[in-house]
Amino acid sequence: MAGRFSPRPSGGSWHAGGGGPRPTRTAVRGEHTGVPRPAVSGARQHGSAKTRRYTPSGPLDLGLVLGPLRRGPADPTFRTTADGSVWRATRTPAGPGTLRVRAAEPGGVRAEAWGPGADWLLDSLPALLGAEDDPDAFTPRHRLVALSQRRRPGLRLTRTGLVLESLIPSVLEQKVTTDEAYRAWRLLVRRHGEPAPGPAPERMRVMPDARTWALIPSWEWHRAGVDAKRSATVLRAVRVAGRLEEAAAMDPEAAAARLRLVPGIGPWTAAETVQRSHGAPDAITVGDLHLPGVVGYALAGDRDADDAAMLELLAPYAGQRHRAARLILLSGRTPPRRHPKMPRTDISVL
């Protein structure tokens, strides 16, 4: 599994529905992407876009909500720009599409979409921005968690309604470092994906379709640093892509169970997928290299906690364990490093 806990500095974020810029901390597993505040003069407009205006029911932090969809700072499918926009290139059931989302006064969100998947993306916008999430169902049981929640009123859990786009990068993240996984995703999408529709930022790409993934030759996987085990798992998944995408309409538990029917997809990968595809508030990641120690240290001062200890500490949050873990990660209370980073093994040079 990927070790994804290195904090990175970020700029201010813009809250739709309230507030202005505030300092943010980007933890890769906390998944807060810095979104620049929109320029006073407003963002430039593009022709031929389909548009939608959405007003959330409460505060909305675009960086927190959409941050989990970014796979590294150079992800070809995700971009933030200086005008305060979040750009997303994806493959919908209707085809490829590009979505641009930005805060719009007073308290709303303006979205534009291009490509065959434009209508689908705009129809799915509320779910993407957390409209189906219920943060009021969460009750903090620890002071640290309560403080983290109060500091982030705009946190919502995104629901993309798309399985494969979250599953494949999660498979690439199995048992390797964050940098290795992000590099593999970046290289494969840039080489085998297609240009994002519309006036997307330079070099944005839509991930390959299932057939294209299946036709990637072995040496291309090797060049991207993906070993045979992970590439074989991706190939098995794309061969049943239709059945896996059907899981988007299931409840998170049933969807995760279907994903685990594919050899090579275990509880870790299934949880990482449904957290994004379903906005699953209880899909806690087990089998992770770092998460038990972070949760154990934050809640009990136990940096050596294992999965069993983590689940026991999170038991009071039953039904909301993923949200609790995310708030813990965003709190910044992580154990100090005492071992060197996991060494990177680049199989592409072997």
Side-chain angles (χ1 to χ4, degrees):
M1 67 288 299
R4 303 190 296 169
F5 290 93
S6 299
R8 302 184 184 189
S10 67
S13 66
W14 183 254
H15 304 268
R22 64 170 172 78
T24 62
R25 171 188 178 273
T26 299
V28 179
R29 284 299 298 278
E31 294 160 331
H32 187 177
T33 297
V35 179
R37 181 171 180 166
V40 174
S41 60
R44 64 188 177 93
Q45 302 298 311
H46 299 294
S48 70
K50 296 185 176 182
T51 64
R52 177 173 181 174
R53 169 102 179 199
Y54 169 67
T55 302
S57 59
L60 177 66
D61 185 324
L62 290 177
L64 280 173
V65 176
L66 299 178
L69 304 181
R70 187 185 75 159
R71 305 291 182 153
D75 185 349
T77 71
F78 191 101
R79 195 73 53 84
T80 60
T81 52
D83 62 6
S85 298
V86 177
W87 292 81
R88 168 169 154 77
T90 189
R91 187 170 297 280
T92 77
T98 301
L99 178 70
R100 175 192 182 211
V101 184
R102 62 184 175 90
E105 301 284 3
V109 171
R110 177 179 171 83
E112 299 165 278
W114 296 265
D119 288 330
W120 191 95
L121 287 169
L122 294 179
D123 289 343
S124 304
L125 181 68
L128 183 75
L129 298 182
E132 298 179 11
D133 183 35
D134 182 14
D136 293 336
F138 182 79
T139 302
R141 305 293 184 181
H142 299 83
R143 183 176 181 275
L144 176 140
V145 176
L147 182 60
S148 184
Q149 183 187 36
R150 285 198 299 271
R151 288 175 173 173
R152 295 163 182 85
L155 174 63
R156 299 290 185 274
L157 301 182
T158 186
R159 175 171 184 157
T160 66
L162 300 167
V163 174
L164 215 61
E165 72 159 21
S166 292
L167 175 62
I168 292 175
S170 295
V171 171
L172 297 179
E173 291 169 7
Q174 293 174 350
K175 300 186 183 301
V176 296
T177 66
T178 302
D179 289 344
E180 288 174 273
Y182 289 166
R183 174 181 178 272
W185 173 250
R186 181 173 69 250
L187 293 179
L188 291 167
V189 172
R190 283 182 178 172
R191 186 166 182 82
H192 301 282
E194 59 187 276
E202 186 179 3
R203 301 190 73 186
M204 283 199 73
R205 310 282 288 182
V206 176
M207 80 166 197
D209 59 17
R211 175 176 170 78
T212 302
W213 281 113
L215 294 176
I216 295 176
S218 60
W219 58 87
E220 291 287 351
W221 293 102
H222 187 83
R223 182 178 298 169
V226 181
D227 57 66
K229 183 176 181 180
R230 286 179 293 149
S231 63
T233 300
V234 173
L235 294 177
R236 284 190 291 265
V238 298
R239 289 183 188 123
V240 291
R243 295 286 288 164
L244 296 184
E245 291 294 355
E246 289 175 0
M250 301 177 175
D251 64 70
E253 293 76 16
R258 176 170 289 193
L259 293 177
R260 292 197 300 269
L261 293 175
V262 178
I265 298 176
W268 186 93
T269 306
E272 290 286 311
T273 301
V274 300
Q275 287 167 8
R276 297 164 173 83
S277 61
H278 290 69
D282 197 47
I284 184 65
T285 304
V286 295
D288 193 85
L289 180 62
H290 299 292
L291 185 60
V294 172
V295 173
Y297 182 80
L299 299 186
D302 180 12
R303 64 180 300 156
D304 297 314
D306 57 11
D307 278 336
M310 176 183 71
L311 294 176
E312 183 176 354
L313 287 168
L314 293 178
Y317 299 104
Q320 295 282 324
R321 293 176 298 175
H322 168 53
R323 192 192 308 274
R326 189 146 178 230
L327 287 168
I328 290 168
L329 289 164
L330 287 165
S331 75
R333 183 167 173 76
T334 57
R337 187 182 301 277
R338 64 183 180 190
H339 296 299
K341 285 186 177 181
M342 180 179 175
R344 173 178 171 177
T345 304
D346 187 355
I347 70 166
S348 66
V349 299
L350 299 179

